[in-house]
Amino acid sequence: MKTIILYTTKTGTVQKCVQRLKDLLGADAADLARCGCALASYDTVILGGSIRMGRVQKPLRRFMAVNEAVLIQKRLGLFLCSAFTDQANMENYFRANFPQSLRTHALICTGFGGELEPDRLRGMDRLVAGMVTTLQGKGGPPVRLDNAAIAHFAQEMQTGSQNGGM
């Protein structure tokens, strides 16, 4: 089975997750903001992105809109990176950003956590990341990538059957 991971990233966090998935799955990968992808030669497609202001980036939204009919014919996995990863938030993010047909068709829909690196950001993004980082120092929830979730996702993509995601 040939697999491709299609993603968008703003600060590089999603790209780190994609690299881990590539290593675990032996998959190809493409940043949708830089290039498109012909899906015909792939049996399995993984779509991922990050959440900013409740939304994934436009290239991912456009890709899903144009390719929805093709994507539901493939083995499919969906992931998101977000600093706010409790289950209720992740379910809301998936509902708001992925068509229902893709969510229900996917083998797995999950969050991989996130990273906050204020030095890599500008403007309001930097200010918000700095505030969250300050809250972490005061006992707030930690913001980090969830390597166990990435490994579990890869395992489900290798062994799971197409029985619906979220």
Side-chain angles (χ1 to χ4, degrees):
M1 249 186 300
K2 196 165 178 189
T3 300
I4 188 157
I5 306 164
L6 302 170
Y7 67 97
T8 56
T9 187
K10 180 175 172 80
T11 63
T13 299
V14 173
Q15 193 169 12
K16 288 179 185 178
C17 296
V18 167
Q19 186 57 53
R20 290 181 183 144
L21 285 173
K22 277 180 62 175
D23 293 343
L24 292 168
L25 297 171
D28 296 333
D31 183 340
L32 290 170
R34 297 184 182 178
C35 62
C37 174
L39 297 175
S41 62
Y42 294 97
D43 305 302
T44 302
V45 178
I46 297 170
L47 299 176
S50 59
I51 294 294
R52 181 177 183 277
M53 305 294 281
R55 303 283 292 168
V56 295
Q57 292 87 357
K58 282 183 185 178
L60 180 56
R61 291 194 310 261
R62 277 191 227 123
F63 183 84
M64 288 187 292
V66 170
N67 294 286
E68 185 173 352
V70 174
L71 290 167
I72 60 173
Q73 302 301 315
K74 307 284 184 179
R75 293 180 82 249
L76 183 66
L78 308 173
F79 76 87
L80 288 171
C81 290
S82 173
F84 308 103
T85 59
D86 65 76
Q87 186 62 28
N89 276 335
M90 290 313 296
E91 287 178 17
N92 289 335
Y93 291 150
F94 276 104
R95 278 192 205 100
N97 289 285
F98 292 92
Q100 181 178 356
S101 63
L102 298 184
R103 292 190 326 265
T104 56
H105 178 71
L107 286 167
I108 185 170
C109 301
T110 196
F112 291 165
E115 294 179 321
L116 288 176
E117 300 180 44
D119 295 341
R120 297 178 78 184
L121 304 173
R122 293 187 298 229
M124 186 60 89
D125 291 337
R126 185 177 187 146
L127 178 65
V128 170
M131 290 188 308
V132 172
T133 302
T134 300
L135 287 174
Q136 287 177 318
K138 295 180 180 180
V143 178
R144 62 179 174 266
L145 289 176
D146 186 344
N147 290 316
I150 297 169
H152 175 73
F153 184 95
Q155 182 179 14
E156 285 296 314
M157 291 306 300
Q158 289 175 322
T159 62
S161 61
Q162 205 75 42
N163 59 5
M166 187 175 287

